[in-house]
Amino acid sequence: MDKLLEINHCRKRFGSTEVLTDLTLSVEESQVLSIIGPSGSGKSTLLRCATLLETMDGGDLIYMGRYAARGTSEGSVYAPPAELKKIKSMFGLVFQNFNLFPHYSVLKNICEAPVLVQKRDKAEVEAEAMDLLKQMGLEDKYNAYPCQLSGGQQQRVSIARALAMNPGILFFDEPTSALDPELTGEILRVIRQLAEKKMTMVIVTHEMNFARDVSDYVVFMNGGVIVEQGDPRDVIDHPTQERTIQFLRRLQDQ
């Protein structure tokens, strides 16, 4: 299978604190990779480095064979802006807190970037957006504003917005953490449907049952390193590392 994403020997510091230490992983086409671990383990920082919201202090970042950043003895050297712009079009990101434009309708939230950034035909984009809203069960909300929607509906709009860019890979940063349990189920159903359609996804999540059921591969992070990785049934049901065992036991006790 083709590798859509490669991260090699990633390092990231904030001040004197090393948040990511020599971290390497890859994502293959159609693969669903879940990243689990305690708060402060570096999961969200890794996602922010992968999506170019943070710059790495060392290591390679490669999308579909194209280098966004190349590790050198001086640290990571990033590609020129024109190349980074092309690479950014290869992925989408769904945030914890939706990040919708409050003064735009649902339809405009979805259509704005494909029309302005990708220079696509407005009518064509709007037709695709309506189709995405139908898939999300929100076709009747196209004219609504974010403040008129529930948290679960807003998150489904933000997923539709990311999909409207036709990304090769979709990142989710704890997409259910701002939602109550009932609304969490809505979002997990949508992500399951995307997995069934073979969408390549990287998901930072605290939902262990979901990670086990929907993922092809699970990475457990702690202290900025990958402690354990592999098949979800191995990592989640039969972990071998003491730190993974402690983390999962603590979750079960909550």
Side-chain angles (χ1 to χ4, degrees):
M1 277 201 176
D2 292 338
K3 287 181 181 176
L4 296 195
L5 170 66
E6 295 172 75
I7 299 172
N8 298 324
H9 307 295
C10 169
R11 289 185 291 106
K12 177 65 181 173
R13 303 180 77 86
F14 291 116
S16 60
T17 306
E18 190 154 60
V19 182
L20 299 173
T21 307
D22 195 26
L23 194 145
T24 294
L25 60 78
S26 63
V27 183
E28 294 179 348
E29 191 172 359
S30 303
Q31 188 178 47
V32 179
L33 172 92
S34 285
I35 303 173
I36 63 172
S39 296
S41 60
K43 306 184 302 295
S44 289
T45 301
L46 173 62
L47 223 62
R48 290 178 67 81
C49 287
T51 55
L52 300 167
L53 293 173
E54 297 280 0
T55 53
M56 303 185 301
D57 295 317
D60 304 325
L61 176 62
I62 309 164
Y63 276 94
M64 304 179 202
R66 298 169 82 150
Y67 278 81
R70 202 180 284 269
T72 72
S73 57
E74 304 294 310
S76 294
V77 176
Y78 279 78
E83 177 68 0
L84 289 179
K85 187 178 180 184
K86 289 176 188 167
I87 288 169
K88 283 178 182 176
S89 72
M90 298 176 182
F91 61 79
L93 175 59
V94 177
F95 298 89
Q96 294 179 26
N97 297 315
F98 326 135
N99 284 26
L100 298 173
F101 294 113
H103 54 295
Y104 285 178
S105 69
V106 163
L107 189 63
K108 190 167 183 184
N109 261 288
I110 295 170
C111 295
E112 189 78 348
V115 172
L116 289 184
V117 178
Q118 296 180 331
K119 311 295 185 195
R120 290 168 56 203
D121 178 71
K122 187 179 178 186
E124 179 189 307
V125 170
E126 286 186 352
E128 281 184 23
M130 289 303 295
D131 188 47
L132 285 167
L133 284 172
K134 190 172 184 181
Q135 290 175 40
M136 301 292 157
L138 293 171
E139 63 266 43
D140 59 334
K141 300 291 186 186
Y142 71 96
N143 227 5
Y145 286 82
C147 64
Q148 298 171 304
L149 304 178
S150 71
Q153 289 171 331
Q154 289 186 60
Q155 191 61 298
R156 280 183 278 158
V157 172
S158 68
I159 294 171
R161 179 179 61 180
L163 289 170
M165 299 291 282
N166 295 319
I169 183 168
L170 198 51
F171 293 90
F172 292 87
D173 187 7
E174 297 192 26
T176 60
S177 65
L179 304 175
D180 66 35
E182 187 178 344
L183 298 178
T184 291
E186 286 181 22
I187 301 309
L188 298 184
R189 269 195 302 279
V190 168
I191 298 173
R192 278 179 206 274
Q193 288 164 1
L194 292 173
E196 286 164 9
K197 293 176 181 175
K198 301 299 182 188
M199 182 79 206
T200 309
M201 294 184 281
V202 177
I203 307 165
V204 170
T205 183
H206 285 297
E207 303 284 339
M208 290 307 116
N209 290 336
F210 171 74
R212 183 199 298 109
D213 293 347
V214 83
S215 308
D216 301 299
Y217 201 78
V218 167
V219 167
F220 172 70
M221 284 181 65
N222 187 65
V225 300
I226 294 174
V227 175
E228 192 161 356
Q229 59 185 313
D231 184 281
R233 280 153 292 279
D234 293 335
V235 176
I236 294 173
D237 294 336
H238 306 289
T240 59
Q241 301 299 311
E242 185 57 34
R243 186 64 189 91
T244 320
I245 294 166
Q246 288 172 0
F247 169 74
L248 293 167
R249 188 178 295 145
R250 197 166 296 141
L251 280 185
Q252 288 167 354
D253 292 342
Q254 287 176 0

